[in-house]
Amino acid sequence: MERQTMIMVRSGVLAVGLSFVMYWIAASSTLFIVPLLFFAPRFQSSRWALLPVGAVALLLTGYQMIGFGGAQIDGSVIGALLVGLFMPISLLAGAGIWIGLQGRGMLVKLLAGSLFAAMFGMGLVLWLSGGSQSAIATEDLYRQMVSVMVPSLLGGQLPLGMDEKMLFETVVTVLKLGFLPIFIGQFGLSVMISELLIHRAEWSFQDRMAQWTLPENSVWVFLGSWTIVLVSLLVDMTIVESVAWNIALSCTLLYMVQGISILAALVRRRNPGATATRIFVLSFLLVLLPGVNVIPLLALPLLGVSETWIGYRKKA
């Protein structure tokens, strides 16, 4: 067996094994595509690198079906399977598209990789909002799961004086209005980790991180989507509201990343030895800190949007 073939086989086995183990462990399940992205450059072509992605997709689908045990296959079980597979299958599809578009810009690959999740998620929203028997049965199944799991997880006390019905409806609303930014956040984090590992010895990658930007015309998508969101608060239009919120929050998330990139560029201008990676990690930690995160959640997207008119990174 040729050396290159051995490298590909070994890389494929490692990618599939590590990916499945990371998915199986709850703490790392959101990052399970990182091994697939990391090992992809070791294949001779992107087509061969897609084989581990397909293998993991088959394994996860089988794993999810086994999880239902001997349950009777009906509309609710199929619906629950589709809902449960939304994020892992979307992440795998995104990883496959990212790998297949080698040589293209990061923003192009990110948006293309999110297209499947957008269509899959909107299809689920339309189906769950349609009031069909299978949709109602799936909703009832998840409602029962929440009523059983939440009391044990929260010690019988629900947050903010909610009851189980209110909590379930809140979760459903959040998922309908924010499934796409949730996906982009998980997918983007996995991509960033894999790219940092791949280019860990390249100082030029730090420069690229500090120069990441959206096209200028993106600001019109940002402003237009938030305008429709405001209108939807006054007029009842369920599907349009879901589309507008998902696009608006996704644009806000991307502009927040641009805001972090601006901070990295400004810090590196004063301190050339500083890494953009450190700025990104510290910014993400601030965003995750309760109470403190309100400021960066507002300031970073506004910083990114305002670069449309203010050249923060232009050297004097």
Side-chain angles (χ1 to χ4, degrees):
M1 186 180 292
E2 296 181 2
R3 184 172 183 276
Q4 183 61 39
T5 303
M6 290 181 62
I7 291 174
M8 288 197 301
V9 171
R10 189 186 310 120
S11 299
V13 172
L14 282 172
V16 172
L18 289 173
S19 180
F20 185 74
V21 170
M22 288 181 68
Y23 178 80
W24 183 66
I25 300 173
S28 60
S29 60
T30 58
L31 301 173
F32 78 96
I33 62 170
V34 170
L36 300 172
L37 297 171
F38 173 71
F39 284 105
R42 303 189 184 188
F43 289 81
Q44 287 181 325
S45 69
S46 58
R47 288 181 299 176
W48 288 108
L50 293 176
L51 290 178
V53 178
V56 174
L58 291 175
L59 284 173
L60 295 193
T61 303
Y63 178 73
Q64 288 281 357
M65 294 184 69
I66 292 173
F68 286 99
Q72 182 180 356
I73 302 299
D74 55 16
S76 63
V77 171
I78 295 174
L81 184 63
L82 287 174
V83 173
L85 285 174
F86 165 70
M87 190 58 71
I89 293 299
S90 295
L91 287 170
L92 286 169
I97 293 171
W98 181 278
I99 293 169
L101 292 178
Q102 282 183 343
R104 305 298 295 271
M106 292 188 69
L107 180 60
V108 172
K109 292 192 290 186
L110 179 65
L111 295 179
S114 303
L115 187 59
F116 178 86
M119 294 188 295
F120 190 0
M122 188 49 60
L124 287 177
V125 170
L126 289 171
W127 170 62
L128 291 171
S129 303
S132 64
Q133 290 185 350
S134 59
I136 294 173
T138 301
E139 184 177 335
D140 290 340
L141 178 62
Y142 274 101
R143 196 185 299 275
Q144 293 172 14
M145 291 172 59
V146 169
S147 64
V148 172
M149 293 175 61
V150 170
S152 60
L153 292 175
L154 300 179
Q157 294 183 347
L158 298 180
L160 303 176
M162 292 183 173
D163 55 21
E164 292 175 1
K165 179 181 179 182
M166 186 183 302
L167 179 63
F168 177 78
E169 291 176 350
T170 301
V171 171
V172 169
T173 300
V174 169
L175 293 178
K176 283 184 177 180
L177 301 183
F179 67 84
L180 186 56
I182 292 172
F183 167 81
I184 292 177
Q186 291 191 25
F187 182 54
L189 181 59
S190 297
V191 164
M192 188 181 78
I193 293 173
S194 64
E195 289 293 304
L196 286 172
L197 292 173
I198 293 170
H199 303 286
R200 57 190 178 277
E202 300 176 22
W203 189 253
S204 61
F205 184 73
Q206 299 296 323
D207 296 329
R208 295 201 297 272
M209 289 181 68
Q211 295 300 322
W212 193 86
T213 183
L214 292 169
E216 287 189 5
N217 290 334
S218 302
V219 71
W220 298 112
V221 180
F222 174 83
L223 296 174
S225 57
W226 276 114
T227 300
I228 298 175
V229 166
L230 293 176
V231 173
S232 69
L233 296 177
L234 304 174
V235 182
D236 185 18
M237 39 185 183
T238 306
I239 302 303
V240 175
E241 180 185 31
S242 179
V243 173
W245 271 102
N246 276 285
I247 294 176
L249 291 173
S250 297
C251 285
T252 302
L253 177 60
L254 293 176
Y255 271 116
M256 183 178 75
V257 175
Q258 180 169 325
I260 299 173
S261 182
I262 293 170
L263 282 180
L266 296 178
V267 171
R268 283 166 58 80
R269 185 180 300 174
R270 290 180 173 273
N271 182 8
T275 63
T277 302
R278 185 174 300 175
I279 306 303
F280 269 76
V281 171
L282 290 175
S283 299
F284 286 140
L285 289 177
L286 283 176
V287 168
L288 295 175
L289 287 176
V292 180
N293 59 2
V294 175
I295 297 175
L297 282 174
L298 293 175
L300 290 174
L302 290 176
L303 180 63
V305 171
S306 63
E307 195 180 29
T308 306
W309 303 280
I310 304 172
Y312 296 112
R313 288 179 277 197
K314 289 182 179 179
K315 293 183 180 180

